[in-house]
Amino acid sequence: GAGVSQSPSNKVTEKGKDVELRCDPISGHTALYWYRQRLGQGLEFLIYFQGNSAPDKSGLPSDRFSAERTGESVSTLTIQRTQQEDSAVYLCASSLFASSYNEQFFGPGTRLTVL
Amino acid sequence: AQTVTQSQPEMSVQEAETVTLSCTYDTSENNYYLFWYKQPPSRQMILVIRQEAYKQQNATENRFSVNFQKAAKSFSLKISDSQLGDTAMYFCAFMKHAGNNNDMRFGAGTRLTVKP
């Protein structure tokens, strides 16, 4: 595609429910990243994929958070048993390779609101 | 651990004038990258400018330039001839010069408003 796309754009859920957030990277990009942006704050790294594997899961805030990627394309970030503190914008980015040299291109994000 | 600090939560500038956004960082690394990203209301992060720490020359991109002071660990962004479309959140970010570029740290951002 022309750019990174994310769906849904906005998600409102009730505390305790599970949510799935989707990211479609730029075609041909092998690396994919998830970030969380709380209101009024900068981006917080969550996890990244090189291909379909996730070498670094250290940024995931708790075991309620998980992510997967299939076919070196679409990725899904799942939050189980959502809590109010999970409310944030979740941003996805992709790059050609997982290297310092390659620019990360960002999607528009999913705004998650947990009531 | 690396930290990035943006001490100006909000700034404003008149159209066509120049504004400078501040950023400081803390690291023990010698080789790294610094970035300024723009986030308009659409939420999409856009790379404005990038600086490699081993390069002494300050990066420039049209109306955007940086003042990189490695010893002082300072990386400010200057926007010349400000335009209404420059209104956005601006984030400073740091990344180690390593094979895996997952370690990107962001500051809290500066909200810039360009006034007509």
Side-chain angles (χ1 to χ4, degrees), chain B residues 34-69:
Chain B
L34 294 161
F35 307 83
W36 278 98
Y37 279 91
K38 170 185 177 180
Q39 187 179 42
S42 66
R43 293 200 308 244
Q44 193 136 9
M45 297 279 283
I46 302 164
L47 179 64
V48 174
I49 199 164
R50 169 168 49 188
Q51 174 80 41
E52 295 159 351
Y54 64 86
K55 289 187 177 179
Q56 293 186 346
Q57 186 173 9
N58 288 326
T60 62
E61 286 288 341
N62 301 313
R63 298 183 295 107
F64 299 88
S65 62
V66 299
N67 183 3
F68 173 48
Q69 302 289 328

PDB file of all heavy atoms in Angstrom, chain B residues 34-69:
ATOM      1  N   LEU B  34      19.620  11.166  16.125  1.00  0.00           N
ATOM      2  CA  LEU B  34      18.609  12.028  16.734  1.00  0.00           C
ATOM      3  C   LEU B  34      17.609  12.430  15.654  1.00  0.00           C
ATOM      4  O   LEU B  34      17.980  12.598  14.487  1.00  0.00           O
ATOM      5  CB  LEU B  34      19.264  13.278  17.334  1.00  0.00           C
ATOM      6  CG  LEU B  34      20.189  13.015  18.515  1.00  0.00           C
ATOM      7  CD1 LEU B  34      21.121  14.181  18.743  1.00  0.00           C
ATOM      8  CD2 LEU B  34      19.366  12.718  19.769  1.00  0.00           C
ATOM      9  N   PHE B  35      16.358  12.574  16.070  1.00  0.00           N
ATOM     10  CA  PHE B  35      15.285  12.842  15.117  1.00  0.00           C
ATOM     11  C   PHE B  35      14.350  13.919  15.671  1.00  0.00           C
ATOM     12  O   PHE B  35      14.182  14.055  16.879  1.00  0.00           O
ATOM     13  CB  PHE B  35      14.417  11.586  14.890  1.00  0.00           C
ATOM     14  CG  PHE B  35      15.176  10.359  14.513  1.00  0.00           C
ATOM     15  CD1 PHE B  35      15.773   9.571  15.475  1.00  0.00           C
ATOM     16  CD2 PHE B  35      15.267   9.974  13.187  1.00  0.00           C
ATOM     17  CE1 PHE B  35      16.463   8.423  15.135  1.00  0.00           C
ATOM     18  CE2 PHE B  35      15.957   8.818  12.826  1.00  0.00           C
ATOM     19  CZ  PHE B  35      16.556   8.037  13.799  1.00  0.00           C
ATOM     20  N   TRP B  36      13.738  14.623  14.748  1.00  0.00           N
ATOM     21  CA  TRP B  36      12.566  15.439  15.067  1.00  0.00           C
ATOM     22  C   TRP B  36      11.417  14.917  14.218  1.00  0.00           C
ATOM     23  O   TRP B  36      11.539  14.803  12.991  1.00  0.00           O
ATOM     24  CB  TRP B  36      12.796  16.920  14.778  1.00  0.00           C
ATOM     25  CG  TRP B  36      13.533  17.630  15.866  1.00  0.00           C
ATOM     26  CD1 TRP B  36      14.854  17.915  15.922  1.00  0.00           C
ATOM     27  CD2 TRP B  36      12.960  18.155  17.076  1.00  0.00           C
ATOM     28  NE1 TRP B  36      15.156  18.578  17.076  1.00  0.00           N
ATOM     29  CE2 TRP B  36      14.016  18.743  17.804  1.00  0.00           C
ATOM     30  CE3 TRP B  36      11.667  18.193  17.601  1.00  0.00           C
ATOM     31  CZ2 TRP B  36      13.818  19.365  19.041  1.00  0.00           C
ATOM     32  CZ3 TRP B  36      11.476  18.811  18.824  1.00  0.00           C
ATOM     33  CH2 TRP B  36      12.539  19.382  19.526  1.00  0.00           C
ATOM     34  N   TYR B  37      10.312  14.589  14.917  1.00  0.00           N
ATOM     35  CA  TYR B  37       9.099  14.152  14.249  1.00  0.00           C
ATOM     36  C   TYR B  37       8.020  15.194  14.467  1.00  0.00           C
ATOM     37  O   TYR B  37       7.930  15.825  15.524  1.00  0.00           O
ATOM     38  CB  TYR B  37       8.605  12.811  14.822  1.00  0.00           C
ATOM     39  CG  TYR B  37       9.296  11.591  14.283  1.00  0.00           C
ATOM     40  CD1 TYR B  37      10.425  11.080  14.906  1.00  0.00           C
ATOM     41  CD2 TYR B  37       8.803  10.922  13.163  1.00  0.00           C
ATOM     42  CE1 TYR B  37      11.050   9.938  14.423  1.00  0.00           C
ATOM     43  CE2 TYR B  37       9.421   9.787  12.676  1.00  0.00           C
ATOM     44  CZ  TYR B  37      10.548   9.302  13.304  1.00  0.00           C
ATOM     45  OH  TYR B  37      11.166   8.172  12.827  1.00  0.00           O
ATOM     46  N   LYS B  38       7.161  15.329  13.474  1.00  0.00           N
ATOM     47  CA  LYS B  38       6.005  16.224  13.538  1.00  0.00           C
ATOM     48  C   LYS B  38       4.756  15.358  13.596  1.00  0.00           C
ATOM     49  O   LYS B  38       4.641  14.368  12.859  1.00  0.00           O
ATOM     50  CB  LYS B  38       5.977  17.098  12.286  1.00  0.00           C
ATOM     51  CG  LYS B  38       4.721  17.921  12.080  1.00  0.00           C
ATOM     52  CD  LYS B  38       4.803  18.641  10.738  1.00  0.00           C
ATOM     53  CE  LYS B  38       3.532  19.426  10.451  1.00  0.00           C
ATOM     54  NZ  LYS B  38       3.609  20.121   9.130  1.00  0.00           N
ATOM     55  N   GLN B  39       3.836  15.695  14.504  1.00  0.00           N
ATOM     56  CA  GLN B  39       2.567  14.971  14.600  1.00  0.00           C
ATOM     57  C   GLN B  39       1.420  15.967  14.511  1.00  0.00           C
ATOM     58  O   GLN B  39       1.063  16.609  15.490  1.00  0.00           O
ATOM     59  CB  GLN B  39       2.480  14.164  15.897  1.00  0.00           C
ATOM     60  CG  GLN B  39       1.243  13.272  15.962  1.00  0.00           C
ATOM     61  CD  GLN B  39       1.168  12.449  17.242  1.00  0.00           C
ATOM     62  OE1 GLN B  39       1.450  12.955  18.327  1.00  0.00           O
ATOM     63  NE2 GLN B  39       0.806  11.186  17.113  1.00  0.00           N
ATOM     64  N   PRO B  40       0.822  16.110  13.321  1.00  0.00           N
ATOM     65  CA  PRO B  40      -0.323  17.012  13.169  1.00  0.00           C
ATOM     66  C   PRO B  40      -1.556  16.379  13.792  1.00  0.00           C
ATOM     67  O   PRO B  40      -1.500  15.236  14.255  1.00  0.00           O
ATOM     68  CB  PRO B  40      -0.449  17.136  11.639  1.00  0.00           C
ATOM     69  CG  PRO B  40       0.203  15.911  11.092  1.00  0.00           C
ATOM     70  CD  PRO B  40       1.241  15.492  12.081  1.00  0.00           C
ATOM     71  N   PRO B  41      -2.678  17.095  13.807  1.00  0.00           N
ATOM     72  CA  PRO B  41      -3.906  16.543  14.401  1.00  0.00           C
ATOM     73  C   PRO B  41      -4.339  15.204  13.801  1.00  0.00           C
ATOM     74  O   PRO B  41      -5.064  14.444  14.439  1.00  0.00           O
ATOM     75  CB  PRO B  41      -4.937  17.636  14.137  1.00  0.00           C
ATOM     76  CG  PRO B  41      -4.129  18.894  14.084  1.00  0.00           C
ATOM     77  CD  PRO B  41      -2.829  18.511  13.435  1.00  0.00           C
ATOM     78  N   SER B  42      -3.906  14.909  12.598  1.00  0.00           N
ATOM     79  CA  SER B  42      -4.229  13.612  11.990  1.00  0.00           C
ATOM     80  C   SER B  42      -3.562  12.449  12.717  1.00  0.00           C
ATOM     81  O   SER B  42      -3.871  11.285  12.449  1.00  0.00           O
ATOM     82  CB  SER B  42      -3.790  13.600  10.525  1.00  0.00           C
ATOM     83  OG  SER B  42      -2.375  13.669  10.430  1.00  0.00           O
ATOM     84  N   ARG B  43      -2.664  12.732  13.633  1.00  0.00           N
ATOM     85  CA  ARG B  43      -1.939  11.761  14.478  1.00  0.00           C
ATOM     86  C   ARG B  43      -0.773  11.079  13.766  1.00  0.00           C
ATOM     87  O   ARG B  43       0.002  10.380  14.415  1.00  0.00           O
ATOM     88  CB  ARG B  43      -2.872  10.660  15.023  1.00  0.00           C
ATOM     89  CG  ARG B  43      -3.904  11.098  16.007  1.00  0.00           C
ATOM     90  CD  ARG B  43      -4.422   9.938  16.823  1.00  0.00           C
ATOM     91  NE  ARG B  43      -4.872   8.816  16.043  1.00  0.00           N
ATOM     92  CZ  ARG B  43      -6.129   8.382  16.017  1.00  0.00           C
ATOM     93  NH1 ARG B  43      -7.050   9.006  16.719  1.00  0.00           N
ATOM     94  NH2 ARG B  43      -6.461   7.329  15.300  1.00  0.00           N
ATOM     95  N   GLN B  44      -0.656  11.256  12.463  1.00  0.00           N
ATOM     96  CA  GLN B  44       0.399  10.539  11.741  1.00  0.00           C
ATOM     97  C   GLN B  44       1.752  11.199  11.974  1.00  0.00           C
ATOM     98  O   GLN B  44       1.964  12.356  11.662  1.00  0.00           O
ATOM     99  CB  GLN B  44       0.088  10.527  10.247  1.00  0.00           C
ATOM    100  CG  GLN B  44       0.943   9.570   9.473  1.00  0.00           C
ATOM    101  CD  GLN B  44       0.139   8.772   8.474  1.00  0.00           C
ATOM    102  OE1 GLN B  44      -1.031   9.040   8.242  1.00  0.00           O
ATOM    103  NE2 GLN B  44       0.766   7.792   7.862  1.00  0.00           N
ATOM    104  N   MET B  45       2.689  10.436  12.522  1.00  0.00           N
ATOM    105  CA  MET B  45       4.031  10.934  12.791  1.00  0.00           C
ATOM    106  C   MET B  45       4.795  11.066  11.472  1.00  0.00           C
ATOM    107  O   MET B  45       4.848  10.127  10.679  1.00  0.00           O
ATOM    108  CB  MET B  45       4.778   9.970  13.707  1.00  0.00           C
ATOM    109  CG  MET B  45       4.165   9.801  15.063  1.00  0.00           C
ATOM    110  SD  MET B  45       4.588  11.128  16.176  1.00  0.00           S
ATOM    111  CE  MET B  45       6.245  10.674  16.620  1.00  0.00           C
ATOM    112  N   ILE B  46       5.402  12.225  11.278  1.00  0.00           N
ATOM    113  CA  ILE B  46       6.149  12.492  10.049  1.00  0.00           C
ATOM    114  C   ILE B  46       7.561  12.884  10.426  1.00  0.00           C
ATOM    115  O   ILE B  46       7.768  13.785  11.240  1.00  0.00           O
ATOM    116  CB  ILE B  46       5.481  13.640   9.262  1.00  0.00           C
ATOM    117  CG1 ILE B  46       4.019  13.289   8.938  1.00  0.00           C
ATOM    118  CG2 ILE B  46       6.264  13.942   7.984  1.00  0.00           C
ATOM    119  CD1 ILE B  46       3.201  14.476   8.514  1.00  0.00           C
ATOM    120  N   LEU B  47       8.543  12.214   9.817  1.00  0.00           N
ATOM    121  CA  LEU B  47       9.936  12.558  10.097  1.00  0.00           C
ATOM    122  C   LEU B  47      10.256  13.906   9.478  1.00  0.00           C
ATOM    123  O   LEU B  47      10.059  14.124   8.283  1.00  0.00           O
ATOM    124  CB  LEU B  47      10.866  11.480   9.532  1.00  0.00           C
ATOM    125  CG  LEU B  47      12.353  11.728   9.726  1.00  0.00           C
ATOM    126  CD1 LEU B  47      12.709  11.719  11.214  1.00  0.00           C
ATOM    127  CD2 LEU B  47      13.171  10.673   8.988  1.00  0.00           C
ATOM    128  N   VAL B  48      10.763  14.815  10.293  1.00  0.00           N
ATOM    129  CA  VAL B  48      11.118  16.158   9.834  1.00  0.00           C
ATOM    130  C   VAL B  48      12.586  16.222   9.446  1.00  0.00           C
ATOM    131  O   VAL B  48      12.951  16.707   8.376  1.00  0.00           O
ATOM    132  CB  VAL B  48      10.815  17.207  10.932  1.00  0.00           C
ATOM    133  CG1 VAL B  48      11.312  18.586  10.508  1.00  0.00           C
ATOM    134  CG2 VAL B  48       9.329  17.238  11.243  1.00  0.00           C
ATOM    135  N   ILE B  49      13.430  15.691  10.343  1.00  0.00           N
ATOM    136  CA  ILE B  49      14.865  15.822  10.113  1.00  0.00           C
ATOM    137  C   ILE B  49      15.606  14.803  10.971  1.00  0.00           C
ATOM    138  O   ILE B  49      15.110  14.395  12.032  1.00  0.00           O
ATOM    139  CB  ILE B  49      15.335  17.264  10.425  1.00  0.00           C
ATOM    140  CG1 ILE B  49      16.676  17.591   9.788  1.00  0.00           C
ATOM    141  CG2 ILE B  49      15.328  17.546  11.912  1.00  0.00           C
ATOM    142  CD1 ILE B  49      16.984  19.069   9.748  1.00  0.00           C
ATOM    143  N   ARG B  50      16.763  14.375  10.515  1.00  0.00           N
ATOM    144  CA  ARG B  50      17.543  13.350  11.221  1.00  0.00           C
ATOM    145  C   ARG B  50      18.999  13.799  11.270  1.00  0.00           C
ATOM    146  O   ARG B  50      19.516  14.356  10.309  1.00  0.00           O
ATOM    147  CB  ARG B  50      17.411  12.016  10.476  1.00  0.00           C
ATOM    148  CG  ARG B  50      18.371  10.938  10.948  1.00  0.00           C
ATOM    149  CD  ARG B  50      18.026   9.576  10.394  1.00  0.00           C
ATOM    150  NE  ARG B  50      17.798   9.560   8.977  1.00  0.00           N
ATOM    151  CZ  ARG B  50      17.342   8.495   8.317  1.00  0.00           C
ATOM    152  NH1 ARG B  50      17.068   7.400   8.953  1.00  0.00           N
ATOM    153  NH2 ARG B  50      17.143   8.551   7.030  1.00  0.00           N
ATOM    154  N   GLN B  51      19.640  13.513  12.398  1.00  0.00           N
ATOM    155  CA  GLN B  51      21.056  13.876  12.574  1.00  0.00           C
ATOM    156  C   GLN B  51      21.821  12.648  13.060  1.00  0.00           C
ATOM    157  O   GLN B  51      21.386  11.975  13.996  1.00  0.00           O
ATOM    158  CB  GLN B  51      21.183  14.992  13.630  1.00  0.00           C
ATOM    159  CG  GLN B  51      22.594  15.370  14.013  1.00  0.00           C
ATOM    160  CD  GLN B  51      23.246  16.291  13.011  1.00  0.00           C
ATOM    161  OE1 GLN B  51      22.626  17.211  12.489  1.00  0.00           O
ATOM    162  NE2 GLN B  51      24.525  16.059  12.736  1.00  0.00           N
ATOM    163  N   GLU B  52      22.934  12.371  12.431  1.00  0.00           N
ATOM    164  CA  GLU B  52      23.805  11.279  12.890  1.00  0.00           C
ATOM    165  C   GLU B  52      24.865  11.887  13.807  1.00  0.00           C
ATOM    166  O   GLU B  52      25.510  12.877  13.433  1.00  0.00           O
ATOM    167  CB  GLU B  52      24.437  10.582  11.692  1.00  0.00           C
ATOM    168  CG  GLU B  52      23.404   9.887  10.830  1.00  0.00           C
ATOM    169  CD  GLU B  52      23.879   9.631   9.405  1.00  0.00           C
ATOM    170  OE1 GLU B  52      24.935  10.135   9.027  1.00  0.00           O
ATOM    171  OE2 GLU B  52      23.177   8.923   8.682  1.00  0.00           O
ATOM    172  N   ALA B  53      25.049  11.296  14.956  1.00  0.00           N
ATOM    173  CA  ALA B  53      25.908  11.903  15.981  1.00  0.00           C
ATOM    174  C   ALA B  53      27.353  12.050  15.546  1.00  0.00           C
ATOM    175  O   ALA B  53      28.070  12.932  16.017  1.00  0.00           O
ATOM    176  CB  ALA B  53      25.828  11.096  17.272  1.00  0.00           C
ATOM    177  N   TYR B  54      27.810  11.179  14.649  1.00  0.00           N
ATOM    178  CA  TYR B  54      29.215  11.250  14.242  1.00  0.00           C
ATOM    179  C   TYR B  54      29.457  12.336  13.196  1.00  0.00           C
ATOM    180  O   TYR B  54      30.594  12.624  12.839  1.00  0.00           O
ATOM    181  CB  TYR B  54      29.697   9.898  13.728  1.00  0.00           C
ATOM    182  CG  TYR B  54      29.009   9.396  12.483  1.00  0.00           C
ATOM    183  CD1 TYR B  54      29.454   9.763  11.221  1.00  0.00           C
ATOM    184  CD2 TYR B  54      27.925   8.541  12.575  1.00  0.00           C
ATOM    185  CE1 TYR B  54      28.821   9.295  10.074  1.00  0.00           C
ATOM    186  CE2 TYR B  54      27.292   8.070  11.440  1.00  0.00           C
ATOM    187  CZ  TYR B  54      27.733   8.444  10.195  1.00  0.00           C
ATOM    188  OH  TYR B  54      27.110   7.981   9.073  1.00  0.00           O
ATOM    189  N   LYS B  55      28.388  12.940  12.706  1.00  0.00           N
ATOM    190  CA  LYS B  55      28.516  14.030  11.739  1.00  0.00           C
ATOM    191  C   LYS B  55      28.493  15.362  12.475  1.00  0.00           C
ATOM    192  O   LYS B  55      27.550  15.651  13.216  1.00  0.00           O
ATOM    193  CB  LYS B  55      27.390  13.989  10.713  1.00  0.00           C
ATOM    194  CG  LYS B  55      27.505  12.844   9.728  1.00  0.00           C
ATOM    195  CD  LYS B  55      26.455  12.956   8.642  1.00  0.00           C
ATOM    196  CE  LYS B  55      26.637  11.837   7.608  1.00  0.00           C
ATOM    197  NZ  LYS B  55      25.609  11.908   6.537  1.00  0.00           N
ATOM    198  N   GLN B  56      29.510  16.158  12.279  1.00  0.00           N
ATOM    199  CA  GLN B  56      29.572  17.443  12.960  1.00  0.00           C
ATOM    200  C   GLN B  56      28.660  18.480  12.320  1.00  0.00           C
ATOM    201  O   GLN B  56      28.182  19.388  12.983  1.00  0.00           O
ATOM    202  CB  GLN B  56      31.012  17.949  12.978  1.00  0.00           C
ATOM    203  CG  GLN B  56      31.935  17.096  13.840  1.00  0.00           C
ATOM    204  CD  GLN B  56      33.318  17.697  13.957  1.00  0.00           C
ATOM    205  OE1 GLN B  56      33.671  18.595  13.194  1.00  0.00           O
ATOM    206  NE2 GLN B  56      34.097  17.212  14.900  1.00  0.00           N
ATOM    207  N   GLN B  57      28.441  18.342  11.020  1.00  0.00           N
ATOM    208  CA  GLN B  57      27.630  19.327  10.317  1.00  0.00           C
ATOM    209  C   GLN B  57      26.165  19.175  10.711  1.00  0.00           C
ATOM    210  O   GLN B  57      25.613  18.067  10.710  1.00  0.00           O
ATOM    211  CB  GLN B  57      27.784  19.150   8.812  1.00  0.00           C
ATOM    212  CG  GLN B  57      27.098  20.222   7.992  1.00  0.00           C
ATOM    213  CD  GLN B  57      27.420  20.119   6.512  1.00  0.00           C
ATOM    214  OE1 GLN B  57      28.028  19.146   6.082  1.00  0.00           O
ATOM    215  NE2 GLN B  57      27.024  21.107   5.738  1.00  0.00           N
ATOM    216  N   ASN B  58      25.529  20.298  11.018  1.00  0.00           N
ATOM    217  CA  ASN B  58      24.122  20.280  11.378  1.00  0.00           C
ATOM    218  C   ASN B  58      23.253  19.950  10.160  1.00  0.00           C
ATOM    219  O   ASN B  58      23.460  20.486   9.066  1.00  0.00           O
ATOM    220  CB  ASN B  58      23.701  21.638  11.940  1.00  0.00           C
ATOM    221  CG  ASN B  58      24.268  21.889  13.321  1.00  0.00           C
ATOM    222  OD1 ASN B  58      24.420  20.965  14.121  1.00  0.00           O
ATOM    223  ND2 ASN B  58      24.602  23.136  13.612  1.00  0.00           N
ATOM    224  N   ALA B  59      22.272  19.080  10.373  1.00  0.00           N
ATOM    225  CA  ALA B  59      21.370  18.692   9.289  1.00  0.00           C
ATOM    226  C   ALA B  59      20.408  19.834   8.962  1.00  0.00           C
ATOM    227  O   ALA B  59      20.006  20.609   9.842  1.00  0.00           O
ATOM    228  CB  ALA B  59      20.583  17.446   9.684  1.00  0.00           C
ATOM    229  N   THR B  60      20.062  19.941   7.688  1.00  0.00           N
ATOM    230  CA  THR B  60      19.065  20.921   7.247  1.00  0.00           C
ATOM    231  C   THR B  60      18.138  20.252   6.232  1.00  0.00           C
ATOM    232  O   THR B  60      18.570  19.397   5.458  1.00  0.00           O
ATOM    233  CB  THR B  60      19.705  22.164   6.594  1.00  0.00           C
ATOM    234  OG1 THR B  60      20.414  21.739   5.418  1.00  0.00           O
ATOM    235  CG2 THR B  60      20.670  22.848   7.537  1.00  0.00           C
ATOM    236  N   GLU B  61      16.867  20.648   6.288  1.00  0.00           N
ATOM    237  CA  GLU B  61      15.857  20.196   5.332  1.00  0.00           C
ATOM    238  C   GLU B  61      14.960  21.379   5.029  1.00  0.00           C
ATOM    239  O   GLU B  61      13.996  21.652   5.744  1.00  0.00           O
ATOM    240  CB  GLU B  61      15.027  19.047   5.915  1.00  0.00           C
ATOM    241  CG  GLU B  61      15.727  17.720   5.998  1.00  0.00           C
ATOM    242  CD  GLU B  61      15.946  17.041   4.652  1.00  0.00           C
ATOM    243  OE1 GLU B  61      15.249  17.399   3.676  1.00  0.00           O
ATOM    244  OE2 GLU B  61      16.816  16.144   4.582  1.00  0.00           O
ATOM    245  N   ASN B  62      15.300  22.087   3.970  1.00  0.00           N
ATOM    246  CA  ASN B  62      14.509  23.252   3.558  1.00  0.00           C
ATOM    247  C   ASN B  62      14.419  24.257   4.713  1.00  0.00           C
ATOM    248  O   ASN B  62      15.433  24.800   5.146  1.00  0.00           O
ATOM    249  CB  ASN B  62      13.135  22.810   3.061  1.00  0.00           C
ATOM    250  CG  ASN B  62      13.234  21.860   1.897  1.00  0.00           C
ATOM    251  OD1 ASN B  62      13.976  22.095   0.954  1.00  0.00           O
ATOM    252  ND2 ASN B  62      12.494  20.752   1.968  1.00  0.00           N
ATOM    253  N   ARG B  63      13.232  24.502   5.240  1.00  0.00           N
ATOM    254  CA  ARG B  63      13.059  25.509   6.295  1.00  0.00           C
ATOM    255  C   ARG B  63      13.429  24.987   7.691  1.00  0.00           C
ATOM    256  O   ARG B  63      13.409  25.751   8.664  1.00  0.00           O
ATOM    257  CB  ARG B  63      11.597  25.982   6.318  1.00  0.00           C
ATOM    258  CG  ARG B  63      11.140  26.665   5.042  1.00  0.00           C
ATOM    259  CD  ARG B  63       9.709  27.171   5.166  1.00  0.00           C
ATOM    260  NE  ARG B  63       8.741  26.082   5.328  1.00  0.00           N
ATOM    261  CZ  ARG B  63       8.118  25.803   6.469  1.00  0.00           C
ATOM    262  NH1 ARG B  63       8.338  26.523   7.560  1.00  0.00           N
ATOM    263  NH2 ARG B  63       7.248  24.807   6.526  1.00  0.00           N
ATOM    264  N   PHE B  64      13.775  23.717   7.770  1.00  0.00           N
ATOM    265  CA  PHE B  64      14.061  23.102   9.062  1.00  0.00           C
ATOM    266  C   PHE B  64      15.562  22.856   9.195  1.00  0.00           C
ATOM    267  O   PHE B  64      16.192  22.323   8.274  1.00  0.00           O
ATOM    268  CB  PHE B  64      13.312  21.772   9.199  1.00  0.00           C
ATOM    269  CG  PHE B  64      11.816  21.914   9.134  1.00  0.00           C
ATOM    270  CD1 PHE B  64      11.146  21.885   7.922  1.00  0.00           C
ATOM    271  CD2 PHE B  64      11.069  22.072  10.290  1.00  0.00           C
ATOM    272  CE1 PHE B  64       9.771  22.026   7.861  1.00  0.00           C
ATOM    273  CE2 PHE B  64       9.693  22.193  10.244  1.00  0.00           C
ATOM    274  CZ  PHE B  64       9.037  22.179   9.030  1.00  0.00           C
ATOM    275  N   SER B  65      16.106  23.228  10.326  1.00  0.00           N
ATOM    276  CA  SER B  65      17.516  22.967  10.590  1.00  0.00           C
ATOM    277  C   SER B  65      17.683  22.665  12.071  1.00  0.00           C
ATOM    278  O   SER B  65      16.813  22.974  12.883  1.00  0.00           O
ATOM    279  CB  SER B  65      18.384  24.163  10.191  1.00  0.00           C
ATOM    280  OG  SER B  65      18.028  25.301  10.950  1.00  0.00           O
ATOM    281  N   VAL B  66      18.794  22.019  12.389  1.00  0.00           N
ATOM    282  CA  VAL B  66      19.048  21.671  13.782  1.00  0.00           C
ATOM    283  C   VAL B  66      20.341  22.326  14.242  1.00  0.00           C
ATOM    284  O   VAL B  66      21.212  22.655  13.452  1.00  0.00           O
ATOM    285  CB  VAL B  66      19.121  20.144  14.003  1.00  0.00           C
ATOM    286  CG1 VAL B  66      17.801  19.487  13.627  1.00  0.00           C
ATOM    287  CG2 VAL B  66      20.289  19.541  13.244  1.00  0.00           C
ATOM    288  N   ASN B  67      20.419  22.510  15.562  1.00  0.00           N
ATOM    289  CA  ASN B  67      21.658  22.926  16.206  1.00  0.00           C
ATOM    290  C   ASN B  67      22.044  21.779  17.129  1.00  0.00           C
ATOM    291  O   ASN B  67      21.490  21.619  18.214  1.00  0.00           O
ATOM    292  CB  ASN B  67      21.451  24.214  16.993  1.00  0.00           C
ATOM    293  CG  ASN B  67      22.750  24.708  17.617  1.00  0.00           C
ATOM    294  OD1 ASN B  67      23.825  24.123  17.410  1.00  0.00           O
ATOM    295  ND2 ASN B  67      22.674  25.772  18.387  1.00  0.00           N
ATOM    296  N   PHE B  68      22.981  20.954  16.669  1.00  0.00           N
ATOM    297  CA  PHE B  68      23.400  19.757  17.391  1.00  0.00           C
ATOM    298  C   PHE B  68      24.667  20.076  18.165  1.00  0.00           C
ATOM    299  O   PHE B  68      25.709  20.388  17.570  1.00  0.00           O
ATOM    300  CB  PHE B  68      23.622  18.612  16.406  1.00  0.00           C
ATOM    301  CG  PHE B  68      24.223  17.379  17.009  1.00  0.00           C
ATOM    302  CD1 PHE B  68      23.713  16.844  18.189  1.00  0.00           C
ATOM    303  CD2 PHE B  68      25.288  16.730  16.393  1.00  0.00           C
ATOM    304  CE1 PHE B  68      24.261  15.698  18.745  1.00  0.00           C
ATOM    305  CE2 PHE B  68      25.841  15.588  16.937  1.00  0.00           C
ATOM    306  CZ  PHE B  68      25.326  15.064  18.107  1.00  0.00           C
ATOM    307  N   GLN B  69      24.587  20.010  19.467  1.00  0.00           N
ATOM    308  CA  GLN B  69      25.720  20.245  20.356  1.00  0.00           C
ATOM    309  C   GLN B  69      25.978  18.947  21.112  1.00  0.00           C
ATOM    310  O   GLN B  69      25.356  18.684  22.150  1.00  0.00           O
ATOM    311  CB  GLN B  69      25.410  21.390  21.323  1.00  0.00           C
ATOM    312  CG  GLN B  69      25.072  22.709  20.653  1.00  0.00           C
ATOM    313  CD  GLN B  69      26.272  23.354  20.016  1.00  0.00           C
ATOM    314  OE1 GLN B  69      27.396  23.209  20.494  1.00  0.00           O
ATOM    315  NE2 GLN B  69      26.042  24.061  18.911  1.00  0.00           N
TER     316      GLN B  69
END
